[in-house]
Amino acid sequence: MNTNTSLITKKSKEIFAAAQKLMPGGVSSPVRAFKSVNGEPVVFDRVKGAYAWDVDGNQYIDYVGTWGPAICGHAHPEVINALNKALENGTSFGAPSLLENILAEMVIEAVPSIEMVRFVNSGTEACMSVLRLMRAFTGREKIIKFEGCYHGHADMFLVKAGSGVATLGLPDSPGVPKSTTASTLTAPYNDLEAVKNLFKEHPDDIAGIILEPVVGNSGFIKPDPGFLEGLRELTTVNNALLTFDEVMTGFRIAYGGAQQKLGVTPDLTTLGKVIGGGLPVGAYGGRADIMSMIAPAGPVYQAGTLSGNPLAMTAGIKTLEILQRPATYEKLEEITKQLNEELLKIAKNKGHAVCGSYSGAMFGLFFTEGPVHNYSDAKRSDLNKFSRFHRGMLEKGVYLAPSQFEAGFMSLAHTFKDIEQTLAAANDVLSNL
Ligand SMILES: *Cc1c(COP(=O)(O)O)cnc(C)c1O
């Protein structure tokens, strides 16, 4: 049980010190380094269900879920079993396999906009490929993205790109040629007028819009009523394409993603995280007439040595099978709602300025009065207070994403008891902030 009040992190410290000499910042991806909460990360040893254990033996209730994929709980026994069987047949084919058909059919059946799909190895790859496709299909170069939305780390998207970049205070990254981002137009999230103006300023030049239909990368932010509908209308009228980046929201906000839950159908969609069930996967898909432009069916080149590999396909198929079972999303939403609403209530009772919301199995809490409609609003949060909150929760055995600008992730493995324990920890921590 997590009664630890001051965490012993001796081994974590040693390993992380060594890591910093071996890898830039000691990590394989920046946010993991805990810089945005002015702390040092704990080094993980293993994960199971709703829990993570660090190398010093501390146990945490995990609300990061490896940044989204672990929606069935870490190391779900059925996923592990399926993977063990798949391993016997080899780890990569580099050739067509039936497993790809099975996962493709599941994705096409689930996600309203997807008629055909291409598998890749990460969300980054999916987004950079879908951008190439948007430009090829329309014969136009400019794209619109929103401030604080993250679409992976490809050059063209590293403009006002949300959490990881925001957290490190890098508005744009060095090494990105101006020419690559010259065609990337940005607007504030939830600001339809700004998008209208961009279409007016650049008539017949805009290939399309890409956005997170529900934002998870500037903290958790929902679209205002009418925003997604407005973008659908504007893109249609201007012969431009609408792409939902559902790498985070796909199979998490609802089985069919945010587009199913909110009833707005884009032309193209990117996926990742959940559909890999914890293995490296991304995918992009959409209207068959557009997807048919991808090689070898069409002229738009995109390839991948390990794409569609049998392990990733197997983990994805099993994960989606589990998610298809009755009442899955009802349960996810019920526990997410309870955690989010109670957390807000406790924080307000203790006199903190907070706001937040949830959808499906995703939630967020900002240390600001709010309301938060976009990234500028999110940036008004008290980041020092968030850092202290984060550290306090960690010391009480609750692992939250180490940045105010990240969302929280719930899984089927989280129990009401885990939530009670989390709320008790929050009650203590929020009393002494
Ligand atoms: C995580 C994420 C990506 C990038 O996916 P990777 O697998 O980390 O490359 C892209 N878009 C969104 C919305 C994401 O949350």
Side-chain angles (χ1 to χ4, degrees), residues 202-280:
H202 306 277
D204 304 323
D205 275 346
I206 296 172
I209 299 176
I210 184 167
L211 80 159
E212 296 177 67
V214 174
V215 184
N217 284 291
S218 353
F220 179 80
I221 303 174
K222 284 189 188 179
D224 290 341
F227 179 58
L228 299 178
E229 290 82 352
L231 297 179
R232 179 65 282 182
E233 170 86 27
L234 275 173
T235 42
T236 305
V237 167
N238 288 284
N239 296 315
L241 297 173
L242 180 63
T243 299
F244 280 3
D245 178 353
E246 298 229 41
V247 170
M248 192 180 273
T249 53
F251 297 91
R252 176 162 285 281
I253 293 280
Y255 188 70
Q259 57 193 270
Q260 180 196 44
K261 185 152 184 159
L262 302 175
V264 178
T265 306
D267 302 296
L268 294 161
T269 299
T270 54
L271 295 167
K273 299 191 168 113
V274 169
I275 60 156
L279 273 85

Side-chain angles (χ1 to χ4, degrees), residues 250-326:
F251 297 91
R252 176 162 285 281
I253 293 280
Y255 188 70
Q259 57 193 270
Q260 180 196 44
K261 185 152 184 159
L262 302 175
V264 178
T265 306
D267 302 296
L268 294 161
T269 299
T270 54
L271 295 167
K273 299 191 168 113
V274 169
I275 60 156
L279 273 85
V281 175
Y284 60 104
R287 275 166 43 192
D289 61 325
I290 309 177
M291 288 304 291
S292 300
M293 286 193 77
I294 299 293
V300 179
Y301 193 68
Q302 187 273 308
T305 301
L306 294 172
S307 294
N309 81 81
L311 293 186
M313 297 297 104
T314 297
I317 292 163
K318 187 50 79 177
T319 298
L320 297 198
E321 268 177 32
I322 295 166
L323 290 173
Q324 278 176 359
R325 291 175 191 161

Side-chain angles (χ1 to χ4, degrees), residues 97 99-108 116-122 125-126 129 271 275-276 280-285 291 302-304 306-309 312-313 316-317 320:
S97 79
L99 293 166
E100 293 168 282
N101 288 18
I102 297 172
L103 187 57
E105 271 175 0
M106 293 174 97
V107 167
I108 289 164
M116 287 180 107
V117 65
R118 164 64 59 89
F119 292 112
V120 293
N121 302 291
S122 69
E125 237 187 288
S129 308
L271 295 167
I275 60 156
V281 175
Y284 60 104
M291 288 304 291
Q302 187 273 308
L306 294 172
S307 294
N309 81 81
M313 297 297 104
I317 292 163
L320 297 198

Side-chain angles (χ1 to χ4, degrees), residues 366-382:
F366 293 106
F367 280 102
T368 176
E369 201 80 49
V372 172
H373 294 289
N374 58 37
Y375 184 44
S376 309
D377 295 341
K379 280 196 288 193
R380 294 200 190 98
S381 303
D382 184 338

Side-chain angles (χ1 to χ4, degrees), residues 132-413:
R132 184 179 304 141
L133 178 58
M134 286 164 78
R135 287 171 163 169
F137 186 79
T138 57
R140 301 169 176 180
E141 285 201 3
K142 291 191 168 34
I143 55 143
I144 298 175
K145 82 175 278 293
F146 293 93
E147 293 164 16
C149 279
Y150 180 63
H151 306 295
H153 64 81
D155 282 358
M156 308 76 75
F157 294 122
L158 283 185
V159 184
K160 303 185 177 171
S163 57
V165 190
T167 296
L168 293 173
L170 303 174
D172 289 307
S173 172
V176 175
K178 283 202 189 81
S179 55
T180 346
T181 53
S183 303
T184 308
L185 310 170
T186 61
Y189 197 78
N190 275 326
D191 189 342
L192 216 46
E193 278 308 307
V195 179
K196 268 186 205 156
N197 288 334
L198 287 175
F199 274 110
K200 261 188 221 142
E201 282 164 37
H202 306 277
D204 304 323
D205 275 346
I206 296 172
I209 299 176
I210 184 167
L211 80 159
E212 296 177 67
V214 174
V215 184
N217 284 291
S218 353
F220 179 80
I221 303 174
K222 284 189 188 179
D224 290 341
F227 179 58
L228 299 178
E229 290 82 352
L231 297 179
R232 179 65 282 182
E233 170 86 27
L234 275 173
T235 42
T236 305
V237 167
N238 288 284
N239 296 315
L241 297 173
L242 180 63
T243 299
F244 280 3
D245 178 353
E246 298 229 41
V247 170
M248 192 180 273
T249 53
F251 297 91
R252 176 162 285 281
I253 293 280
Y255 188 70
Q259 57 193 270
Q260 180 196 44
K261 185 152 184 159
L262 302 175
V264 178
T265 306
D267 302 296
L268 294 161
T269 299
T270 54
L271 295 167
K273 299 191 168 113
V274 169
I275 60 156
L279 273 85
V281 175
Y284 60 104
R287 275 166 43 192
D289 61 325
I290 309 177
M291 288 304 291
S292 300
M293 286 193 77
I294 299 293
V300 179
Y301 193 68
Q302 187 273 308
T305 301
L306 294 172
S307 294
N309 81 81
L311 293 186
M313 297 297 104
T314 297
I317 292 163
K318 187 50 79 177
T319 298
L320 297 198
E321 268 177 32
I322 295 166
L323 290 173
Q324 278 176 359
R325 291 175 191 161
T328 307
Y329 286 86
E330 287 83 345
K331 189 209 158 171
L332 284 168
E333 181 132 345
E334 191 189 351
I335 54 180
T336 308
K337 173 178 179 290
Q338 191 191 4
L339 178 73
N340 194 249
E341 287 184 348
E342 292 296 319
L343 262 182
L344 286 167
K345 208 185 284 173
I346 294 169
K348 281 178 190 161
N349 280 342
K350 304 285 177 193
H352 299 292
V354 287
C355 67
S357 56
Y358 69 92
S359 181
M362 239 171 118
F363 65 94
L365 176 147
F366 293 106
F367 280 102
T368 176
E369 201 80 49
V372 172
H373 294 289
N374 58 37
Y375 184 44
S376 309
D377 295 341
K379 280 196 288 193
R380 294 200 190 98
S381 303
D382 184 338
L383 300 185
N384 283 325
K385 195 180 260 190
F386 177 81
S387 297
R388 296 196 299 277
F389 176 66
H390 182 270
R391 182 68 202 180
M393 294 299 277
L394 190 74
E395 294 197 350
K396 291 190 179 296
V398 179
Y399 192 85
L400 300 171
S403 165
Q404 172 72 94
F405 303 112
E406 300 285 357
F409 299 107
M410 193 63 89
S411 84
L412 286 170

